[in-house]
């Protein structure tokens, strides 16, 4: 079974471990890949909804992996016991939902060796929360799949890992590995916001608030692009 590029980057980044938990697993693609590729001895695939959990169950049976993959129905990290998982993956959900899942299960989140998070939107809010709550972001990557870009963050709890300055400074793009996909993503954002501003400027009754919001975003991504050009990997 081949994973899509987004899930493949997550799967390949996982070194051999005892237990991995995939929160909001939906189809259990990732746990099946991890067990079949000897990357984890055991996987726990959870979902808040019965339907996806049943689909996961059927797929796990099809691959004969019932001994290695446990399916659980539950909300966020409440489906796990303390220190049960070495690695916790939360992918394919909004950044605010991921943030809520982490804050509601903060003890479990802190006790995991590694958290792999893949927000579909609002990554800036999530990254800010991680920094404010002493989750060290030790890797970040932008993955392109067809015409879509996905943000992936690798983090773990580490007391006092950020100083006041990093908490105030927040350009989430700085946490991603310098790569052609990152540059393409930033260019896309710059072109999107420039386009919206040009379009809005043409109206007689200008929506000044929206123009200001988009201008802020434009500055944000231009700042990231400048930083990227100064930090070209050798
Ligand atoms: C879009 S799917 C993502 C599936 C998979 N993780 C991926 O990245 O391809 C999101 C899944 O998260 C589940 N979900 C949403 N909120 C959840 C929560 N609080 N706890 C557990 N699962 C949740 C949904 O039921 C859905 O199956």
């Amino acid at each position: 079974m081949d994973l899509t590029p987004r899930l493949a980057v997550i799967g390949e980044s996982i070194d051999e471990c005892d237990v991995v938990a995939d929160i909001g697993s939906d189809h259990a693609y990732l746990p099946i890949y991890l067990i079949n590729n000897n990357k984890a001895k055991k996987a726990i695939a959870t979902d808040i909804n019965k339907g996806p959990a049943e689909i996961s169950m059927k797929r796990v049976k099809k691959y004969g992996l019932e001994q290695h993959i446990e399916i659980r129905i539950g909300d966020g990290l409440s489906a796990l016991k303390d220190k049960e998982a070495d690695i916790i993956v939360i992918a394919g959900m909004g950044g605010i939902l991921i943030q809520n899942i982490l804050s509601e299960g903060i003890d479990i989140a802190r006790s995991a060796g590694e958290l792999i998070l893949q927000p579909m939107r609002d990554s800036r809010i999530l990254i800010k929360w991680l920094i404010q709550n002493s989750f060290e972001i030790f890797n970040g990557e932008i993955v392109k799949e067809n015409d879509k870009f996905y943000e992936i963050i690798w983090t773990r709890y580490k007391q006092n890992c950020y100083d006041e300055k990093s908490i105030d400074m927040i350009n989430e793009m700085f946490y991603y590995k310098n790569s052609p996909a990152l540059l393409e993503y930033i260019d896309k954002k710059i072109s999107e916001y420039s386009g919206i501003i040009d379009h809005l400027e043409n109206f007689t009754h200008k929506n000044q608030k929206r123009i200001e919001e988009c201008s802020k975003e434009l500055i944000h991504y231009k700042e990231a692009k400048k930083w990227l050009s100064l930090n070209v990997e050798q």
Side-chain angles (χ1 to χ4, degrees):
M1 188 189 67
D2 285 336
L3 293 177
T4 56
R6 172 182 67 92
L7 288 178
V9 169
I10 295 176
E12 282 159 17
S13 78
I14 294 177
D15 288 331
E16 275 175 44
C17 70
D18 286 334
V19 182
V20 62
D22 185 22
I23 306 298
S25 188
D26 193 358
H27 32 60
Y29 289 147
L30 186 65
I32 291 171
Y33 164 87
L34 293 172
I35 297 297
N36 277 342
N37 289 279
N38 301 314
K39 284 183 167 266
K41 291 191 184 114
K42 179 184 169 180
I44 302 165
T46 83
D47 208 284
I48 197 168
N49 292 308
K50 208 170 153 214
E54 282 172 355
I55 295 171
S56 291
M57 191 89 75
K58 274 192 196 145
R59 195 163 274 121
V60 167
K61 272 194 186 150
K62 186 178 145 199
Y63 283 88
L65 296 175
E66 299 98 311
Q67 299 297 319
H68 299 277
I69 302 177
E70 195 184 324
I71 311 288
R72 294 184 191 166
I73 297 173
D75 185 354
L77 299 180
S78 69
L80 301 179
K81 296 186 200 96
D82 201 17
K83 298 199 174 94
E84 192 178 23
D86 310 308
I87 298 179
I88 297 176
V89 179
I90 314 179
M93 295 182 210
I96 295 172
L97 177 55
I98 296 178
Q99 178 198 302
N100 290 340
I101 289 176
L102 295 176
S103 62
E104 278 162 26
I106 192 77
D107 290 338
I108 290 178
R110 282 182 181 151
S111 71
E114 185 177 334
L115 297 149
I116 306 177
L117 311 174
Q118 190 270 301
M120 301 297 282
R121 65 192 79 84
D122 296 320
S123 62
R124 195 178 304 166
I125 295 172
L126 176 62
I127 287 179
K128 190 165 187 174
W129 184 90
L130 291 170
I131 293 169
Q132 283 170 337
N133 288 276
S134 282
F135 282 86
E136 180 192 25
I137 298 163
F138 59 91
N139 192 15
E141 197 169 329
I142 299 286
V143 177
K144 192 175 179 194
E145 189 175 301
N146 301 320
D147 281 337
K148 278 187 143 186
F149 292 90
Y150 295 98
E151 300 171 55
I152 308 177
I153 299 156
W154 287 261
T155 183
R156 67 169 72 91
Y157 178 68
K158 190 177 168 194
Q159 237 175 353
N160 304 323
C161 59
Y162 291 109
D163 56 21
E164 291 289 320
K165 206 164 142 254
S166 5
I167 292 172
D168 287 342
M169 185 280 307
I170 184 66
N171 191 320
E172 76 286 6
M173 294 295 119
F174 294 178
Y175 293 90
Y176 296 117
K177 194 167 78 185
N178 201 338
S179 69
L182 174 60
L183 185 60
E184 212 185 316
Y185 181 62
I186 291 173
D187 279 341
K188 188 176 172 219
K189 290 284 186 186
I190 290 174
S191 135
E192 265 174 25
Y193 285 112
S194 307
I196 299 172
I197 294 167
D198 286 349
H199 179 72
L200 292 174
E201 293 282 9
N202 283 329
F203 286 110
T204 327
H205 299 291
K206 293 191 180 38
N207 183 342
Q208 207 52 43
K209 192 165 171 269
R210 183 73 185 127
I211 293 177
E212 277 165 24
E213 280 168 5
C214 292
S215 303
K216 272 192 191 161
E217 289 299 315
L218 191 58
I219 292 169
H220 183 84
Y221 288 105
K222 281 188 172 171
E223 179 192 38
K225 187 162 177 178
K226 190 172 161 203
W227 168 83
L228 249 187
S229 62
L230 295 173
N231 289 278
V232 178
E233 280 182 3
Q234 300 303 313

